[in-house]
Amino acid sequence: MESEARTLEMVFPEHTNPLGNAFGGFVLGLMDKVGSYAAARRAKKPVVTVAVGRVEFEVPIRAGDLLEVVARVGRVGRTSLTVQVEVFKERFGGGEATRVLATRGELVYVAINEEGRPTPVDG
């Protein structure tokens, strides 16, 4: 789909605090990366991040979790694209794997031209 992007990422100990929970900045970085892929895919040109809306950390993410980051373009303005990003975590071992929504948020990107200036998404 031209308005969606997704990736998988494993959480390693270096991504966590002393309690074993993923740093929020690590998760936000993944969200921004995949969100920008969805926005650039839809705009068919480079994009830059201009805003991060409300981000909700629903459940803890821990070392050893496999994360699936899913980004979908929700709204397209003249030069901007609003992207909803969801992070699902899967835990392995000790029985059946579980997949739950761990984090969600909204990010806004602006399409840019070769000079780095805002440019129309469709045009």
Side-chain angles (χ1 to χ4, degrees), residues 7-12 15 26 30 33 65-68:
T7 193
L8 295 172
E9 184 80 30
M10 183 66 71
V11 180
F12 291 102
H15 304 135
F26 168 71
L30 292 174
K33 180 169 66 171
D65 286 343
L66 178 65
L67 304 181
E68 181 179 15

Side-chain angles (χ1 to χ4, degrees), residues 23-36 69 107 109:
F23 289 117
F26 168 71
V27 177
L28 286 170
L30 292 174
M31 293 172 73
D32 188 25
K33 180 169 66 171
V34 180
S36 72
V69 184
L107 293 92
Y109 300 88

